Amino acid sequence: MGATVALPLLDSMVAAQTPSRAVAPKTRLAAFYVPHGATMDKWTPATEGTGFEYTDILKPLEQFRDRINIVSGLAHPYVAGAGGADVSAGANHTRAAAVFLTGSVPERGPQAHLGVSADQIAAQRIGQDTPLPSLELSIEESVLACEASFSCAYRNSISWKSPTQPLPMQNNPRLVFEKLFGDGATAADRRGRRQDTRSLLDSVMGQLASLQKDLPPADRRRLDQYLDDVREIERRIQRAEASAREDVTLPDVPAGVPPTFAEHIKLMMDLQVLAFQSDITRVSTLMFARELSGAVFPETTIRDPFHNLSHHSNDRGNMDRFAILNLYHMTKFAYFVLKLQETPDGDGTLLDHSLVLYGSSLSDGNQHNFSPLPIVLAGGASGRLKGGRHLRFPKDTHMSNLLLAMLDKLDARLEKFGDSTEMLAI
């Protein structure tokens, strides 16, 4: 057919007389990185444990309280260098992205050298029986100019397959879609397919029609919803392509990046959910922006570039305005959590069967400090993670201790990860 579409888990796929609860759910892992830290006094809840009051920035997550854990007290010491004494602003930003999922020392020099990231450890354990072991996404393009003593690889990826192999993070939704659901060998092949064939889904609808009529009502509704979601994403990608500028020289790949951050990130999140739902992959990472990003978010009332505003000079007004950006980003993360919650998966939802990390390797962007970090965990990890808590750990507890605990929830138990000192009890 030239393309294939993986299907979600349907009740009819379970062997006859086998209760759905007997089918072990597959846990997914997603990690979201947001640079430049946060206005921490508008982030951190005042009390720990359960029943805490959600702060201004975290408010969008309150509707999912039973599937949310706010984690406080963590630190990523290597943001400040192996000895903790490097105060170079550019170096701190470069290292921040690099250490987020690795907890390892980014070495200086033209050749990047780090450590394997937690998502790739998970991919080795839970992603080897899926078409894609992992999916790496970003909103911004790669940067080409970096601090002279560090490789740009540290700012361009949070996912490291080996100490010298950062994985490229794709920001073009069409290329991501074709990676998930089929592509051509060259740009000409892909262009020809778009011009000469029907939609991706139309090419397989004949086969699906015979399947649908034999399904029970619940499975038909689930399959219809899934196919509608795929079609909607395809339509939005085509719309983005149609609006692409023709007066600039583009590489020989299809255009497909939406014009606004809001459209772009929602589309990338929808693709992640579809990839999880169809079990094409169980591991994904996404960068909201690169460190030192000059992005402006016109949906908000703020017109300052992202990185510039993080340098608030301890001015209360500037700090409050930066908190508006933090809140805006949190609304986008809440959209992803909602999509997971609304997507059936076996005897529960994707949110029940996912472990989702959201956060930054910087705390106060004005100081470039690395403690305490703004960190959120979402999802039930297939019954292994209790929600509804503010987990406050001792000051400067290593973030790698949390990553070690997360890997344990994914059946990827290690004795040590990165600069971990012990596994956190989560």
Side-chain angles (χ1 to χ4, degrees):
M1 301 299 293
T4 59
V5 177
L7 299 179
L9 177 65
L10 304 176
D11 294 339
S12 304
M13 296 176 180
V14 181
Q17 300 180 352
T18 300
S20 61
R21 62 179 177 272
V23 180
K26 306 296 185 182
T27 306
R28 286 77 161 185
L29 170 68
F32 294 88
Y33 183 73
V34 184
H36 309 151
T39 300
M40 294 303 297
D41 63 348
K42 287 181 173 286
W43 171 287
T44 309
T47 59
E48 57 191 272
T50 60
F52 64 92
E53 183 177 349
Y54 272 69
T55 57
D56 292 349
I57 295 173
L58 297 174
K59 202 71 174 176
L61 298 180
E62 188 170 14
Q63 60 184 309
F64 316 108
R65 179 185 282 269
D66 65 339
R67 281 287 180 253
I68 297 294
N69 288 297
I70 311 304
V71 187
S72 297
L74 304 187
H76 251 324
Y78 290 144
V79 170
D86 188 339
V87 295
S88 167
N92 284 356
H93 280 289
T94 297
R95 283 189 290 249
V99 305
F100 183 60
L101 293 179
T102 67
S104 300
V105 181
E107 296 184 6
R108 295 179 182 269
Q111 175 62 50
H113 193 283
L114 196 56
V116 179
S117 54
D119 63 298
Q120 290 305 298
I121 297 292
Q124 293 170 14
R125 185 62 58 91
I126 67 173
Q128 295 306 306
D129 59 344
T130 58
L132 292 177
S134 62
L135 183 65
E136 295 76 38
L137 308 174
S138 67
I139 299 304
E140 297 181 342
E141 295 181 350
S142 298
V143 296
L144 302 177
C146 301
E147 190 186 44
S149 59
F150 283 99
S151 167
C152 285
Y154 296 131
R155 279 175 56 197
N156 285 331
S157 182
I158 58 173
S159 182
W160 290 70
K161 190 172 184 178
S162 77
T164 58
Q165 187 180 1
L167 295 177
M169 309 198 79
Q170 178 57 252
N171 80 318
N172 189 319
R174 170 165 285 281
L175 297 185
V176 175
F177 184 83
E178 292 180 343
K179 183 176 184 178
L180 295 173
F181 300 110
D183 61 350
T186 66
D189 290 342
R190 293 188 290 266
R191 187 164 52 249
R193 291 187 182 195
R194 293 197 304 272
Q195 295 171 346
D196 300 333
T197 65
R198 298 170 298 170
S199 78
L200 174 64
L201 292 177
D202 285 342
S203 69
V204 294
M205 281 305 294
Q207 297 179 43
L208 292 179
S210 60
L211 170 65
Q212 285 174 304
K213 66 182 181 182
D214 296 326
L215 292 174
D219 279 350
R220 282 202 301 271
R221 287 193 297 270
R222 187 174 298 180
L223 184 58
D224 286 343
Q225 177 187 352
Y226 173 73
L227 296 179
D228 286 345
D229 289 345
V230 175
R231 265 207 194 89
E232 172 61 14
I233 287 180
E234 185 180 49
R235 183 193 66 79
R236 286 155 59 187
I237 292 173
Q238 290 171 341
R239 180 180 176 185
E241 276 196 308
S243 64
R245 292 179 57 182
E246 300 293 339
D247 59 340
V248 295
T249 302
L250 299 176
D252 191 23
V253 295
V257 177
T260 69
F261 172 85
E263 293 175 90
H264 194 177
I265 198 162
K266 283 187 175 181
L267 183 49
M268 297 299 252
M269 288 177 169
D270 288 348
L271 287 168
Q272 286 177 285
V273 172
L274 276 174
F276 283 173
Q277 184 182 14
S278 55
D279 208 28
I280 292 175
T281 190
R282 296 175 195 148
V283 179
S284 70
T285 51
L286 186 148
M287 297 180 74
F288 271 55
R290 311 286 182 187
E291 288 287 346
L292 300 173
S293 170
V296 176
F297 304 97
E299 271 194 330
T300 71
T301 59
I302 307 301
R303 294 297 177 265
D304 303 73
F306 189 10
H307 172 241
N308 289 10
L309 189 55
S310 72
H311 287 276
H312 45 67
S313 302
N314 293 320
D315 176 84
R316 185 71 255 177
N318 289 339
M319 295 171 72
D320 290 347
R321 289 165 63 231
F322 188 57
I324 292 175
L325 291 189
N326 301 151
L327 172 61
Y328 175 67
H329 290 144
M330 189 58 68
T331 64
K332 303 311 174 190
F333 179 60
Y335 171 83
F336 180 77
V337 177
L338 178 62
K339 291 286 289 186
L340 293 180
Q341 184 185 66
E342 292 178 340
T343 304
D345 184 60
D347 60 355
T349 69
L350 279 180
L351 185 59
D352 296 329
H353 301 153
S354 294
L355 179 56
V356 187
L357 171 68
Y358 176 98
S360 180
S361 292
L362 289 173
S363 178
D364 182 348
N366 190 63
Q367 300 295 326
H368 294 122
N369 57 7
F370 49 84
S371 174
L373 299 179
I375 299 294
V376 174
L377 285 180
S382 301
R384 297 185 177 186
L385 183 65
K386 179 183 176 181
R389 300 170 294 167
H390 174 206
L391 302 171
R392 193 192 301 272
F393 293 99
K395 184 178 183 295
D396 293 342
T397 296
H398 286 201
M399 173 75 179
S400 294
N401 293 358
L402 174 65
L403 297 175
L404 192 65
M406 291 174 61
L407 289 171
D408 185 57
K409 301 293 184 186
L410 298 168
D411 288 328
R413 187 180 182 89
L414 299 174
E415 293 302 315
K416 183 176 177 58
F417 177 79
D419 64 343
S420 66
T421 58
E422 62 178 342
M423 183 184 298
L424 292 187
I426 60 171

